[in-house]
Amino acid sequence: MALARFPFAPGGYDYVAGGFPYSAGVVAAPGHRLVRVRFDAVVPLTAGFACIADYLQAHSRPLPALAAVELRSPAPFTLDGFRAFNRGYVEVLERWGIVRDGRNPVARSNVCPVHDAPAEPGFFAFTHTIPDPGAPSGAPDFVIAGSGEWPEDQPFPASIVARGDLSARGLEAKAEYVLQTMQARCEALGCAWSSVAAAQIYCVHDIHPLVEARLATTGLLRHGLTWQICAPPVCELEFEMDVRRVTEERLLAAGSAAASGPAAG
């Protein structure tokens, strides 16, 4: 599937088109950079949207400055259940003036923790833009959306890579597909793979054999690797990943958005 990049001027970023519920990735527009804000506890979806809105207002940013979100869900959905969840999620972004003409520019991951899972879907983190005339144009901030081992333009579940194969070889095939997806999205955004500064893997299976066999050769390990013991959001998917380069990251106590003070820029 060809990847197309579009500007989203109201948010101060460009995005690579994805499906209905999320884009494939975002990159800060010239004169902007990204700020990633992680909550100290998962905030349920409705309260989380309200908290993000308060935070953006407190930092003098419009709602369309929301560029990416990271969600946590109690357990993997069926595909139909996932689609139903996505409809409610996207309705909020439509009200915020972000989803326009059926295009959703906001990147996303949505995974399911094995330990300390939330009782309902909610926000783990979000990323927004801020103006910064000094932001380097040669190495812009970006976020690549989470992807599992399923080509989303192909039939499900028949097209899952190495479907049902949890052997070392099967997991390597899944990881290989996901890595290629990450690299293709990076390229479509005009970002260098070598500029990736953080990578997260979501998998409940042992990924240690992949470290030498596949991950070390990508250059990702020079910054370390975050392994989240989480399942992808749809049943039968086993390996998900996202990558980013974000120059500013913050930790936010739930409910304290408006009190955290204005961001630089």
Side-chain angles (χ1 to χ4, degrees):
M1 179 174 63
L3 298 176
R5 174 176 169 174
F6 298 93
F8 185 59
Y13 62 90
D14 291 1
Y15 68 96
V16 169
F20 163 74
Y22 37 77
S23 74
V26 299
V27 61
H32 293 78
R33 60 185 171 88
L34 297 177
V35 178
R36 179 176 181 258
V37 183
R38 182 167 64 85
F39 293 109
D40 63 355
V42 174
V43 183
L45 206 67
T46 299
F49 271 121
C51 190
I52 292 170
D54 288 345
Y55 178 97
L56 292 174
Q57 182 179 23
H59 291 75
S60 302
R61 298 299 293 141
L63 294 177
L66 179 66
V69 302
E70 298 169 51
L71 305 182
R72 295 293 184 269
S73 293
F77 298 86
T78 64
L79 187 58
D80 286 343
F82 191 56
R83 287 169 173 162
F85 167 81
N86 287 332
R87 284 193 292 271
Y89 164 81
V90 170
E91 284 174 2
V92 177
L93 299 183
E94 289 173 337
R95 293 198 298 271
W96 283 17
I98 295 176
V99 174
R100 303 178 179 188
D101 301 322
R103 286 184 177 169
N104 186 350
V106 178
R108 195 182 87 183
S109 65
N110 180 6
V111 294
C112 311
V114 171
H115 307 286
D116 299 315
E120 59 182 293
F123 287 93
F124 176 80
F126 66 96
T127 299
H128 67 91
T129 59
I130 61 171
D132 183 359
S137 58
D141 286 356
F142 63 89
V143 174
I144 305 299
S147 175
E149 73 275 23
W150 166 47
E152 294 185 17
D153 60 339
Q154 298 298 314
F156 182 90
S159 299
I160 294 174
V161 174
R163 181 187 178 192
D165 185 353
L166 299 180
S167 68
R169 180 172 294 183
L171 288 174
E172 185 172 352
K174 295 172 184 293
E176 177 66 27
Y177 172 80
V178 173
L179 280 164
Q180 289 177 359
T181 300
M182 296 290 103
Q183 291 169 328
R185 291 177 176 183
C186 239
E187 182 178 358
L189 283 173
C191 299
W193 181 251
S194 60
S195 69
V196 170
Q200 299 184 113
I201 286 178
Y202 309 99
C203 186
V204 303
H205 309 290
D206 184 8
I207 66 169
H208 288 97
L210 299 175
V211 173
E212 285 294 332
R214 191 62 190 89
L215 299 175
T217 63
T218 65
L220 291 177
L221 300 188
R222 68 185 182 278
H223 295 294
L225 181 70
T226 300
W227 177 13
Q228 304 256 13
I229 313 302
C230 297
V234 179
C235 294
E236 293 201 60
L237 297 180
E238 306 290 351
F239 188 97
E240 182 161 333
M241 187 175 186
D242 57 40
V243 300
R244 66 183 184 272
R245 178 186 183 86
V246 177
T247 53
E248 182 176 348
E249 304 205 8
R250 300 178 170 187
L251 180 67
L252 182 67
S256 66
S260 56

